[in-house]
Amino acid sequence: MQMRSPTGLQGLSLNLIEKYRPDLTPFEETYRQIHASPELSGQEEQTSATAASHLQSLGFDVHTHIGGYGVAGVLRNGPGPTVLLRADMDALPVEEKTGLPYASTKTAIDADGETVPVMHACGHDTHVVSLMASASLLRAAREHWSGTLICLFQPAEEHVSGARAMIEDGLYERVSKPDVVLAQHLVRMKAGTVSIRAGRLLTAADGIDVRVYGRGGHGSAPQSCIDPIVIGAAIVTRLQSIVSREVAPGELAVVTCGSIHAGHKSNIIPDELELKLSVRTYDKATRERVIACIKRIVEAECEASGAVEKPSVEIVSSTPATINDEATVRALKETFGSYFQEDLVESEPIAASEDFSLLATAVGAPYVMWTYGGVDAETWDDAVAKGTVNELPNNHSPFFAPCIQPTLRTAVDAMSLGALTFLRNR
């Protein structure tokens, strides 16, 4: 990405990016280290320590162990708005297959006591490092702005629990309540580009655990059993009709069965089966309808099969939709448009989910999340020409491997510009 000449009312902020952006070489090395040493949700001890140490070195007032390994650094710089910038830190239980020289080979014990591979397959490593570098830039440029800057490093986003945990652990008793909350996320998009939209961005998410109760026995005598695997198969198939037949056309909903487990041996019919479901929606009424449909289908299939007891259907996690504030997006588009020019594009809604919005709604603040790309420009352009963009590794893929530059520089510039859009110019 070529650097742009600043124009319009935001010219001062744009000049500050050019003047005060730190040398990114050491941050690139930090990125490689974090990528090679990922930590699962709730286990972000070393990653949070890296972020906290950096903020302390810059003179921030640093609070640690908020809601687990959450970190919040505060830089008070005179009167003015309070701007909160957020980065998430956790990795995923995925075996990395990128072949990168700094690829993760790490394993960890997950919350269920299982040993699993661990990988930064969603770009949270770039989020951490770009916020660290943005903190350096904004601190260096502090004579040009006034207000309070909060840099927040959040744990357990992949479990959509970390933001709530930080709030419940007294986040806003330790730091000032923000006037605006900003975040960004790496996605499968051309490196050097930034995407933003007002309104709907990310869906609400519900995690649902289903348990079906049958009657176990010998695999050679199914007539003496009530097979929960057959019931489970019927449930999974029937669930696919919810979106196509019970949700209004044009209204987004996704129902996914991500896990099905029953039994241990081929000649034993088990007595229980467990399903783990994921529901994504934007509209509250649609969410309620989809969940009601799931309960109805599960109960009906069990009754039709003569299950020995009523199944359990439990919502185990829930996070709201991310709906970007329109006025805040308009202000950011003015700043971003002057800087990124043709590299600023309009986002499409994404059927993924986040808990980021809770950091804002808990205190009634407006919020915006934007996205930025990490796919090498030549690779991206070739995929566009061939119509194979959907074949490129996406978030949560074991092959997800963003190019370090210009990805990191774009993220640093965007986050810093975002903060300067709302901090008071001096």
Side-chain angles (χ1 to χ4, degrees):
M1 181 189 73
Q2 297 297 315
M3 305 316 297
R4 315 301 186 189
S5 297
T7 59
L9 296 176
Q10 304 297 337
L12 175 60
S13 293
L14 307 186
N15 279 326
L16 298 183
I17 302 300
E18 299 275 6
K19 182 175 181 180
Y20 292 104
R21 184 194 305 112
D23 176 10
L24 295 182
T25 303
F27 292 98
E28 293 175 11
E29 182 55 34
T30 299
Y31 167 77
R32 294 186 185 94
Q33 292 171 0
I34 293 176
H35 186 91
S37 301
E39 295 172 300
L40 291 175
S41 302
Q43 301 179 19
E44 308 92 341
E45 181 177 7
Q46 293 303 316
T47 307
S48 65
T50 297
S53 175
H54 179 70
L55 293 177
Q56 288 166 347
S57 73
L58 296 174
F60 280 66
D61 181 14
V62 180
H63 305 269
T64 61
H65 295 91
I66 311 173
Y69 286 109
V71 173
V74 182
L75 182 61
R76 297 176 181 86
N77 193 36
T82 296
V83 177
L84 188 152
L85 308 179
R86 176 273 209 172
D88 40 6
M89 300 184 289
D90 50 334
L92 289 159
V94 174
E95 181 182 358
E96 182 160 359
K97 299 179 181 179
T98 62
L100 292 168
Y102 50 88
S104 170
T105 59
K106 188 175 176 181
T107 61
I109 307 298
D110 69 9
D112 296 322
E114 300 291 330
T115 300
V116 296
V118 190
M119 175 191 175
H120 268 298
C122 203
H124 295 187
D125 43 359
T126 72
H127 301 172
V128 170
V129 175
S130 62
L131 183 53
M132 289 169 57
S134 293
S136 292
L137 188 158
L138 293 166
R139 191 259 185 191
R142 64 193 181 280
E143 66 183 77
H144 299 284
W145 59 267
S146 180
T148 297
L149 174 67
I150 302 172
C151 292
L152 184 144
F153 296 84
Q154 181 201 310
E157 184 279 324
E158 294 294 352
H159 288 177
V160 291
S161 62
R164 188 183 303 278
M166 291 188 74
I167 294 164
E168 292 178 350
D169 196 26
L171 170 65
Y172 292 122
E173 296 169 11
R174 309 186 202 193
V175 305
S176 303
K177 294 180 180 179
D179 296 298
V180 64
V181 179
L182 306 175
Q184 58 184 357
H185 206 296
L186 177 66
V187 296
R188 182 178 62 189
M189 193 166 67
K190 185 176 182 177
T193 58
V194 173
S195 182
I196 193 169
R197 68 174 285 114
R200 293 180 172 186
L201 178 66
L202 303 174
T203 57
D206 292 281
I208 301 177
D209 283 359
V210 175
R211 187 169 294 275
V212 172
Y213 302 96
R215 184 166 61 236
H218 203 288
S220 67
Q223 75 280 3
S224 300
C225 306
I226 297 174
D227 193 338
I229 293 178
V230 173
I231 300 173
I235 290 171
V236 171
T237 301
R238 183 64 184 272
L239 289 176
Q240 307 314 304
S241 70
I242 294 176
V243 173
S244 65
R245 290 295 177 267
E246 304 204 46
V247 174
E251 184 59 51
L252 185 143
V254 179
V255 179
T256 297
C257 178
S259 173
I260 180 168
H261 179 77
H264 302 282
K265 205 167 186 294
S266 62
N267 66 344
I268 301 173
I269 294 175
D271 59 358
E272 292 185 6
L273 174 138
E274 183 183 68
L275 302 173
K276 291 184 180 295
L277 310 178
S278 175
V279 173
R280 312 292 173 128
T281 54
Y282 282 116
D283 181 71
K284 181 180 179 182
T286 300
R287 173 186 178 270
E288 292 174 351
R289 181 178 179 88
V290 169
I291 292 173
C293 290
I294 290 171
K295 291 179 179 178
R296 187 193 73 230
I297 288 170
V298 170
E299 291 175 0
E301 291 293 348
C302 288
E303 184 176 357
S305 300
V308 297
E309 65 179 278
K310 189 175 180 178
S312 67
V313 181
E314 181 183 3
I315 298 175
V316 294
S317 65
S318 186
T319 194
T322 301
I323 311 293
N324 282 339
D325 179 69
E326 292 192 13
T328 307
V329 168
R330 283 197 301 271
L332 287 166
K333 278 186 172 181
E334 184 177 356
T335 311
F336 285 3
S338 297
Y339 186 75
F340 293 108
Q341 296 186 17
E342 69 270 15
D343 288 331
L344 178 66
V345 298
E346 182 80 9
S347 303
E348 292 296 325
I350 304 170
S353 304
E354 261 270 7
D355 62 351
F356 152 74
S357 64
L358 295 173
L359 295 169
T361 57
V363 292
Y367 66 87
V368 169
M369 172 179 281
W370 63 85
T371 59
Y372 62 97
V375 180
D376 172 76
E378 184 176 346
T379 301
W380 178 264
D381 291 341
D382 183 62
V384 170
K386 293 178 179 177
T388 58
V389 167
N390 284 338
E391 297 177 18
L392 297 174
N394 205 351
N395 301 64
H396 292 214
S397 164
F399 299 100
F400 190 70
C403 59
I404 296 179
Q405 294 294 9
T407 304
L408 183 58
R409 186 176 70 240
T410 301
V412 173
D413 293 358
M415 189 61 97
S416 302
L417 280 170
L420 290 169
T421 301
F422 301 102
L423 292 165
R424 182 181 299 171
N425 282 342
R426 286 182 171 177

